[in-house]
């Protein structure tokens, strides 16, 4: 039987004609650094043959494939090598295939996660059912006829609980991979990342054009008659056109591509959540005061540079906004409203109640960041913290106090108490009701009990705060009818 090694950019490197236990596996699965054969072949059940990973849409190394063929011939195999670099697929076809494969992975990994979660729950229930025999602390009676069974039950409980924990970890692993796969297309088409990718591709295209013109690029020269340069030029052109269309689509949806024409010295640029005064305008970035000056600051002016003249460059693909010096002189109330609007447009940290009004009134230290301002999310849009009260009746309306934890991934919100809006503001605004890993919030529209939220045990840690504020919370909830948006405004 003849082993056929073929390479095309459309299909990659395939190794066909082998059979089980014929001795070829040992060669294909052994690295040979002298020949450059360092990416080991893998078996594909779908293709029914061996293949080299990451070889699709790429140029191969003919000497490496010839060396692999010689190693197989040394073991008395008949081997042929065929290379066709012109057989390729367009970049759009390749990108669409990658997106579809990512969607398939997301569905497959999601299934793995669901199965592991069910296994974890079943193992936990099994352990819990066995433990019912020892609910009142029944010890193992040494020498009694029940000793053997009791020890076996303890071993079964231990094994079931260990399996539950293992399956839970497995479910989290596959859930994370499913989430990553489902975000693949959004990750690839992120406008900022796409702009940086376009800069790299254009630089590569300029280098190829220089080599074709018998010029040096990237520190060396290449044969202008090399057919690989023609293929590479076509690939880069197609890829640049594809990503340029992605940027056009993003602009049609409201994305702004910033450039040096948008800024002048003295303007302010929004960079990573802080406004910096522009010290100099460059072709690909703006020079600003060093970002160390922005720690805990909302606006950093040139006169605020405390780092002995240190500066920083903010690339245009990482810029979020621009204001003139006159616009930065607006009253503090207008600035607060603008900040609230930007906070509303930015991605939320944790979506507790999408259709409800949620208030975070306590500072929360998490990963070096400090939540020091209230966040209000309503169905009608953002409401500034300085907005006037809507009436005494609104303050006396019932709300639900929730507890949320750092890195919590619970499917339902956790409710502690029901109380009036005024009482909830006092409780959640007290610094003693938040910690390094949790905080209290409140909402008047939590959703449906059991489906969207559930009661959790009150461990009594906040009892002194409730007593000092003279608040008696309830553990029952009856949602009151909400006023229309026009009347509540």
């Amino acid at each position: 039987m003849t082993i056929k090694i073929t390479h095309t950019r459309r299909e990659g490197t395939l190794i066909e004609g082998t059979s089980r236990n014929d001795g070829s596996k040992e060669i294909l699965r052994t690295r040979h650094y002298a020949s450059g054969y360092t990416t080991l072949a893998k078996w594909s059940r779908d293709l029914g043959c061996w293949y080299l990973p990451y070889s699709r849409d790429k140029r191969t190394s003919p000497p490496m494939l010839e060396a692999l063929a010689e190693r197989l011939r040394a073991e008395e195999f008949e081997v042929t090598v065929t290379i066709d670099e012109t057989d390729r697929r367009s970049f759009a076809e390749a990108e669409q295939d990658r997106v579809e494969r990512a969607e398939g992975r997301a569905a497959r990994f999601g299934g793995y996660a669901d199965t592991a979660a069910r296994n974890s729950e079943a193992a936990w229930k099994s352990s819990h059912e066995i433990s019912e025999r020892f609910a009142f602390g029944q010890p193992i009676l040494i020498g009694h006829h029940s000793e053997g069974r009791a020890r076996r039950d303890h071993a079964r409980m231990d094994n079931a609980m260990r399996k539950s924990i293992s399956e839970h970890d497995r479910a989290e692993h596959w859930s994370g991979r499913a989430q990553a796969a489902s975000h693949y297309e959004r990750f690839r088409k992120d406008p900022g990342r796409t702009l940086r990718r376009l800069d790299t591709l254009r630089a590569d295209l300029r280098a190829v054009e220089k080599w074709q013109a018998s010029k040096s690029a990237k520190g060396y020269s290449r044969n202008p008659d090399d057919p690989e340069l023609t293929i590479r030029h076509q690939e880069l052109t197609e890829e640049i056109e594809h990503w340029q269309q992605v940027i056009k689509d993003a602009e049609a949806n409201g994305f702004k591509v910033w450039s040096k024409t948008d800024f002048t010295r003295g303007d302010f640029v929004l960079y990573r959540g802080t406004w910096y005064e522009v010290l100099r305008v460059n072709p690909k970035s703006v020079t600003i005061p060093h970002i160390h000056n922005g720690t805990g600051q909302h606006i950093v002016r040139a006169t605020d540079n405390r780092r002995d003249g240190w500066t920083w460059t903010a690339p245009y693909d990482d810029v979020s906004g621009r204001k003139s010096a006159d616009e930065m002189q607006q009253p503090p109330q207008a600035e607060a409203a603008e900040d609230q609007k930007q906070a509303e447009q930015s991605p939320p940290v944790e979506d507790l109640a999408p259709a409800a009004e949620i208030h975070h009134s306590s500072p929360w230290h998490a990963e070096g960041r400090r939540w020091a301002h209230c966040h209000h999310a309503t169905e009608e849009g953002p409401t500034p913290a300085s907005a006037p009260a809507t009436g005494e009746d609104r303050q006396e309306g019932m709300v639900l106090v929730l507890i949320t934890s750092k890195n919590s991934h619970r499917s339902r919100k956790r409710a502690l108490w029901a109380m009036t809006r005024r009482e909830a503001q006092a409780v959640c605004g007290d610094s003693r009701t938040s910690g390094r890993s949790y905080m209290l919030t409140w909402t008047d529209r939590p959703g449906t009990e059991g489906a969207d939220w559930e009661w959790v045990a009150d461990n009594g840690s906040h009892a002194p705060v409730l007593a000092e504020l003279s608040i008696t919370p309830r553990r029952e909830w009856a949602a009151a009818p909400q006023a229309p948006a026009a009347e509540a405004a």
Side-chain angles (χ1 to χ4, degrees):
M1 181 178 293
T2 301
I3 297 179
K4 299 179 181 179
I5 302 178
T6 61
H7 174 83
T8 62
R9 298 202 179 194
R10 178 179 298 276
E11 300 295 339
T13 302
L14 305 180
I15 305 170
E16 302 173 288
T18 62
S19 59
R20 186 184 295 272
N21 300 325
D22 63 355
S24 60
K25 176 180 178 180
E26 289 71 16
I27 299 175
L28 298 176
R29 295 293 296 169
T30 301
R31 288 185 174 87
H32 192 259
Y33 293 96
S35 63
Y37 183 74
T38 56
T39 302
L40 301 182
K42 291 185 178 181
W43 177 262
S44 172
R45 288 179 293 180
D46 294 335
L47 299 175
C49 65
W50 295 89
Y51 73 98
L52 292 186
Y54 314 111
S55 59
R56 295 187 75 183
D57 306 308
K58 295 180 181 178
R59 179 187 185 185
T60 190
S61 171
M64 183 266 290
L65 295 185
E66 287 293 343
L68 177 60
E70 288 299 327
R71 292 172 59 205
L72 290 169
R73 293 186 184 112
E75 299 295 329
E76 299 182 355
F77 289 102
E78 294 184 8
V79 185
T80 61
V81 180
T82 305
I83 299 176
D84 184 5
E85 297 287 1
T86 60
D87 184 9
R88 67 181 189 89
R89 54 183 180 174
S90 67
F91 181 80
E93 294 175 343
E95 187 67 14
Q96 182 61 31
D97 179 65
R98 285 189 282 267
V99 171
E100 292 175 355
R101 291 168 67 89
E103 293 174 352
R105 289 196 304 273
R108 187 169 66 255
F109 295 160
Y112 296 162
D114 292 341
T115 300
R118 288 194 298 269
N119 292 341
S120 176
E121 181 70 14
W124 180 88
K125 288 182 178 179
S126 175
S127 177
H128 182 70
E129 291 173 358
I130 299 173
S131 69
E132 289 296 320
R133 289 187 53 208
F134 310 96
F136 299 101
Q138 174 66 38
I140 297 178
L141 302 178
I142 306 300
H144 193 266
H145 65 81
S146 64
E147 178 184 357
R149 179 183 176 185
R151 293 192 182 280
R152 289 192 297 271
D153 285 344
H154 277 75
R156 289 167 56 201
M157 280 193 300
D158 181 73
N159 292 336
M161 187 55 67
R162 290 179 184 276
K163 180 179 179 180
S164 176
I165 295 173
S166 175
E167 290 295 319
H168 178 269
D169 293 342
R170 184 168 175 264
E172 287 191 339
H173 166 77
W174 287 116
S175 178
R177 292 198 60 181
Q179 184 179 17
S182 64
H183 293 170
Y184 174 82
E185 184 174 11
R186 187 175 67 181
F187 174 85
R188 289 282 287 178
K189 292 185 177 181
D190 176 73
R193 186 175 291 105
T194 301
L195 288 173
R196 293 188 290 273
R197 185 185 296 116
L198 279 170
D199 289 341
T200 302
L201 293 173
R202 289 174 181 135
D204 292 342
L205 182 61
R206 289 193 298 269
V208 170
E209 291 174 345
K210 287 183 178 180
W211 287 325
Q212 290 179 320
S214 301
K215 297 180 181 179
S216 175
K218 296 186 176 182
Y220 60 96
S221 300
R222 295 182 60 174
N223 180 7
D225 298 327
D226 186 353
E228 173 63 22
L229 292 180
T230 302
I231 298 175
R232 187 59 181 152
H233 190 281
Q234 294 174 351
E235 292 177 336
L236 288 172
T237 302
E238 291 178 0
E239 190 169 358
I240 289 174
E241 291 176 352
H242 175 84
W243 295 120
Q244 284 177 337
Q245 184 60 45
V246 170
I247 293 298
K248 290 180 181 179
D249 295 340
E251 288 182 303
N253 293 327
F255 177 75
K256 168 64 177 176
V257 179
W258 301 96
S259 64
K260 63 180 298 184
T261 59
D262 297 309
F263 295 93
T264 58
R265 182 175 180 178
D267 288 345
F268 284 80
V269 58
L270 182 59
Y271 176 65
R272 298 183 180 180
T274 302
W275 289 97
Y276 293 91
E277 184 174 351
V278 176
L279 305 179
R280 185 169 59 251
V281 179
N282 311 309
K284 295 186 177 182
S285 64
V286 291
T287 302
I288 58 177
H290 200 278
I291 58 174
H292 287 173
N293 298 285
T295 304
Q297 302 294 322
H298 179 59
I299 301 174
V300 178
R301 305 179 187 276
T303 55
D304 298 333
N305 199 337
R306 306 185 301 273
R307 301 294 173 179
D308 195 22
W310 291 6
T311 59
W312 191 266
T313 54
Y316 294 124
D317 53 62
D318 208 6
V319 167
S320 304
R322 176 259 179 200
K323 284 186 179 181
S324 65
D326 294 336
E327 291 174 326
M328 293 303 296
Q329 301 300 325
Q330 59 183 327
Q333 293 82 359
E335 288 187 5
E338 181 66 19
D339 296 342
Q340 187 64 38
K341 180 179 179 181
Q342 293 171 358
E344 181 69 19
Q345 294 174 347
S346 62
V349 176
E350 183 177 358
D351 187 9
L352 293 174
E357 182 178 359
I358 301 177
H359 301 256
H360 302 269
S361 302
S362 303
W364 188 3
H365 297 268
E367 301 177 351
R369 298 176 177 87
R370 181 181 181 89
W371 291 10
H373 301 283
C374 298
H375 173 68
H376 306 264
T378 67
E379 291 180 329
E380 295 79 25
T383 303
S386 59
T390 58
E392 191 69 20
D393 293 341
R394 181 174 175 82
Q395 289 295 330
E396 296 303 323
M398 296 302 297
V399 300
L400 206 61
V401 176
L402 311 174
I403 180 171
T404 178
S405 303
K406 176 183 176 183
N407 298 329
S408 175
H409 302 287
R410 297 176 181 268
S411 59
R412 292 190 293 269
K413 299 182 288 293
R414 297 175 292 162
L416 282 176
W417 315 297
M419 57 181 63
T420 67
R421 184 186 299 264
R422 188 189 308 277
E423 292 172 338
Q425 290 174 344
V427 171
C428 296
D430 195 296
S431 61
R432 293 170 292 178
T433 61
S434 65
R436 295 182 62 87
S437 60
Y438 79 96
M439 65 188 302
L440 298 186
T441 67
W442 60 267
T443 176
D444 60 353
R445 302 176 189 177
T448 305
E449 181 177 358
D452 302 314
W453 64 275
E454 62 184 354
W455 291 108
V456 294
D458 178 9
N459 60 12
S461 59
H462 298 121
V465 178
L466 297 175
E468 181 177 329
L469 297 175
S470 301
I471 295 175
T472 303
R474 299 190 299 182
R475 296 277 292 180
E476 57 183 1
W477 172 253
Q482 301 296 329
E487 297 177 5

mmCIF file of all heavy atoms in Angstrom, residues 116-131:
data_model
loop_
_atom_site.group_PDB
_atom_site.id
_atom_site.type_symbol
_atom_site.label_atom_id
_atom_site.label_comp_id
_atom_site.label_asym_id
_atom_site.label_seq_id
_atom_site.Cartn_x
_atom_site.Cartn_y
_atom_site.Cartn_z
ATOM 1 N N ALA A 116 -22.284 17.194 32.647
ATOM 2 C CA ALA A 116 -21.499 17.190 33.880
ATOM 3 C C ALA A 116 -22.286 17.795 35.038
ATOM 4 O O ALA A 116 -22.201 17.318 36.174
ATOM 5 C CB ALA A 116 -20.190 17.948 33.668
ATOM 6 N N ALA A 117 -23.060 18.850 34.759
ATOM 7 C CA ALA A 117 -23.862 19.464 35.823
ATOM 8 C C ALA A 117 -24.923 18.488 36.332
ATOM 9 O O ALA A 117 -25.174 18.401 37.543
ATOM 10 C CB ALA A 117 -24.504 20.746 35.311
ATOM 11 N N ARG A 118 -25.558 17.756 35.415
ATOM 12 C CA ARG A 118 -26.555 16.769 35.846
ATOM 13 C C ARG A 118 -25.901 15.650 36.655
ATOM 14 O O ARG A 118 -26.454 15.196 37.670
ATOM 15 C CB ARG A 118 -27.276 16.196 34.625
ATOM 16 C CG ARG A 118 -28.242 17.175 33.963
ATOM 17 C CD ARG A 118 -29.151 16.436 32.990
ATOM 18 N NE ARG A 118 -28.400 15.808 31.916
ATOM 19 C CZ ARG A 118 -28.127 16.377 30.755
ATOM 20 N NH1 ARG A 118 -28.527 17.619 30.519
ATOM 21 N NH2 ARG A 118 -27.442 15.736 29.814
ATOM 22 N N ASN A 119 -24.738 15.211 36.218
ATOM 23 C CA ASN A 119 -24.037 14.159 36.970
ATOM 24 C C ASN A 119 -23.649 14.647 38.361
ATOM 25 O O ASN A 119 -23.723 13.897 39.338
ATOM 26 C CB ASN A 119 -22.790 13.711 36.214
ATOM 27 C CG ASN A 119 -23.125 12.984 34.925
ATOM 28 O OD1 ASN A 119 -24.240 12.498 34.746
ATOM 29 N ND2 ASN A 119 -22.174 12.927 34.015
ATOM 30 N N SER A 120 -23.219 15.903 38.450
ATOM 31 C CA SER A 120 -22.855 16.468 39.748
ATOM 32 C C SER A 120 -24.061 16.521 40.674
ATOM 33 O O SER A 120 -23.983 16.165 41.853
ATOM 34 C CB SER A 120 -22.261 17.867 39.559
ATOM 35 O OG SER A 120 -21.988 18.478 40.805
ATOM 36 N N GLU A 121 -25.202 16.959 40.132
ATOM 37 C CA GLU A 121 -26.417 17.042 40.946
ATOM 38 C C GLU A 121 -26.873 15.650 41.389
ATOM 39 O O GLU A 121 -27.278 15.459 42.543
ATOM 40 C CB GLU A 121 -27.515 17.724 40.136
ATOM 41 C CG GLU A 121 -28.829 17.905 40.871
ATOM 42 C CD GLU A 121 -28.745 18.930 41.977
ATOM 43 O OE1 GLU A 121 -27.755 19.691 41.999
ATOM 44 O OE2 GLU A 121 -29.672 18.973 42.810
ATOM 45 N N ALA A 122 -26.801 14.668 40.476
ATOM 46 C CA ALA A 122 -27.221 13.312 40.830
ATOM 47 C C ALA A 122 -26.310 12.721 41.896
ATOM 48 O O ALA A 122 -26.789 12.053 42.837
ATOM 49 C CB ALA A 122 -27.217 12.427 39.578
ATOM 50 N N ALA A 123 -24.997 12.950 41.793
ATOM 51 C CA ALA A 123 -24.070 12.428 42.790
ATOM 52 C C ALA A 123 -24.311 13.086 44.143
ATOM 53 O O ALA A 123 -24.255 12.428 45.191
ATOM 54 C CB ALA A 123 -22.627 12.645 42.338
ATOM 55 N N TRP A 124 -24.581 14.392 44.130
ATOM 56 C CA TRP A 124 -24.854 15.072 45.400
ATOM 57 C C TRP A 124 -26.122 14.528 46.048
ATOM 58 O O TRP A 124 -26.168 14.297 47.267
ATOM 59 C CB TRP A 124 -24.996 16.569 45.162
ATOM 60 C CG TRP A 124 -25.268 17.321 46.435
ATOM 61 C CD1 TRP A 124 -24.355 17.817 47.304
ATOM 62 C CD2 TRP A 124 -26.559 17.644 46.967
ATOM 63 N NE1 TRP A 124 -24.979 18.433 48.361
ATOM 64 C CE2 TRP A 124 -26.338 18.340 48.187
ATOM 65 C CE3 TRP A 124 -27.861 17.414 46.550
ATOM 66 C CZ2 TRP A 124 -27.387 18.800 48.969
ATOM 67 C CZ3 TRP A 124 -28.901 17.866 47.337
ATOM 68 C CH2 TRP A 124 -28.665 18.558 48.530
ATOM 69 N N LYS A 125 -27.166 14.313 45.248
ATOM 70 C CA LYS A 125 -28.408 13.772 45.803
ATOM 71 C C LYS A 125 -28.188 12.373 46.353
ATOM 72 O O LYS A 125 -28.745 12.008 47.400
ATOM 73 C CB LYS A 125 -29.487 13.756 44.718
ATOM 74 C CG LYS A 125 -30.018 15.133 44.358
ATOM 75 C CD LYS A 125 -31.122 15.040 43.319
ATOM 76 C CE LYS A 125 -31.680 16.430 42.995
ATOM 77 N NZ LYS A 125 -32.749 16.364 41.964
ATOM 78 N N SER A 126 -27.374 11.580 45.652
ATOM 79 C CA SER A 126 -27.089 10.239 46.144
ATOM 80 C C SER A 126 -26.388 10.280 47.491
ATOM 81 O O SER A 126 -26.738 9.540 48.416
ATOM 82 C CB SER A 126 -26.228 9.492 45.123
ATOM 83 O OG SER A 126 -25.840 8.225 45.609
ATOM 84 N N SER A 127 -25.397 11.158 47.616
ATOM 85 C CA SER A 127 -24.699 11.300 48.891
ATOM 86 C C SER A 127 -25.640 11.794 49.980
ATOM 87 O O SER A 127 -25.589 11.325 51.121
ATOM 88 C CB SER A 127 -23.521 12.256 48.727
ATOM 89 O OG SER A 127 -22.864 12.466 49.956
ATOM 90 N N HIS A 128 -26.513 12.720 49.624
ATOM 91 C CA HIS A 128 -27.440 13.269 50.610
ATOM 92 C C HIS A 128 -28.438 12.208 51.074
ATOM 93 O O HIS A 128 -28.774 12.133 52.273
ATOM 94 C CB HIS A 128 -28.185 14.456 50.008
ATOM 95 C CG HIS A 128 -29.129 15.122 50.962
ATOM 96 N ND1 HIS A 128 -28.705 15.856 52.042
ATOM 97 C CD2 HIS A 128 -30.487 15.144 50.998
ATOM 98 C CE1 HIS A 128 -29.763 16.312 52.701
ATOM 99 N NE2 HIS A 128 -30.851 15.889 52.088
ATOM 100 N N GLU A 129 -28.922 11.369 50.165
ATOM 101 C CA GLU A 129 -29.865 10.322 50.543
ATOM 102 C C GLU A 129 -29.230 9.324 51.505
ATOM 103 O O GLU A 129 -29.860 8.876 52.473
ATOM 104 C CB GLU A 129 -30.365 9.614 49.292
ATOM 105 C CG GLU A 129 -31.274 10.480 48.422
ATOM 106 C CD GLU A 129 -31.611 9.804 47.105
ATOM 107 O OE1 GLU A 129 -31.087 8.680 46.884
ATOM 108 O OE2 GLU A 129 -32.377 10.386 46.309
ATOM 109 N N ILE A 130 -27.963 8.988 51.246
ATOM 110 C CA ILE A 130 -27.285 8.058 52.160
ATOM 111 C C ILE A 130 -27.096 8.696 53.535
ATOM 112 O O ILE A 130 -27.233 8.046 54.570
ATOM 113 C CB ILE A 130 -25.931 7.626 51.565
ATOM 114 C CG1 ILE A 130 -26.136 6.908 50.227
ATOM 115 C CG2 ILE A 130 -25.187 6.716 52.526
ATOM 116 C CD1 ILE A 130 -24.844 6.605 49.503
ATOM 117 N N SER A 131 -26.803 9.993 53.533
ATOM 118 C CA SER A 131 -26.525 10.676 54.810
ATOM 119 C C SER A 131 -27.771 10.811 55.678
ATOM 120 O O SER A 131 -27.651 11.132 56.867
ATOM 121 C CB SER A 131 -25.946 12.067 54.532
ATOM 122 O OG SER A 131 -26.923 12.922 53.959
#
